[in-house]
Amino acid sequence: RMFGHNCFGDLHFHVSNGGLDIGYDWWESGFAVDAKIINGGVRAFIPGDASFHLMAHSRNGHVTNDFGELRDRQRGGAKTIDTVVGGNSGTRLHIRAVNGNIKIAEANL
């Protein structure tokens, strides 16, 4: 398992087997997260007031996003999500999974 916590520089994660957790206690703008996992899941915990461009795709799993409109949420998640949350701040989250799920969760602080 790999962890990233409150890292606001450009990040590049690559995990072959296991899991990846990315979490933020507060939010800043103007950084990028590029994450890829082959076998395992990704969880990102993001404050509710964050602004970012989310691109997430799982080939053999699903993507769930707490920041999406309720009417846009699919039961079990989607395969791909490409959306801007809270306005475009210059922050980009690009997360890919081959065999696993991706969960974008609103952090409850």
Side-chain angles (χ1 to χ4, degrees):
R1 183 166 287 283
M2 182 180 283
F3 298 93
H5 185 238
N6 291 336
C7 300
F8 294 101
D10 291 344
L11 304 173
H12 302 276
F13 295 108
H14 185 230
V15 178
S16 294
N17 297 297
L20 173 61
D21 287 337
I22 305 166
Y24 293 93
D25 296 329
W26 70 92
W27 197 250
E28 295 184 15
S29 62
F31 66 98
V33 174
D34 184 24
K36 182 177 181 180
I37 190 162
I38 305 300
N39 296 302
V42 179
R43 298 182 303 177
F45 301 95
I46 300 172
D49 61 350
S51 297
F52 56 95
H53 180 189
L54 172 65
M55 296 166 288
H57 173 77
S58 179
R59 184 183 308 161
N60 299 308
H62 61 270
V63 181
T64 56
N65 174 23
D66 286 355
F67 292 90
E69 296 291 330
L70 190 57
R71 62 180 161 68
D72 294 336
R73 297 182 196 180
Q74 299 177 19
R75 186 178 187 141
K79 289 287 187 191
T80 300
I81 292 176
D82 187 347
T83 189
V84 174
V85 174
N88 194 353
S89 69
T91 299
R92 181 181 59 86
L93 304 178
H94 188 198
I95 303 171
R96 300 169 310 273
V98 176
N99 299 308
N101 298 322
I102 299 169
K103 170 70 175 167
I104 309 301
E106 184 177 352
N108 296 319
L109 303 174

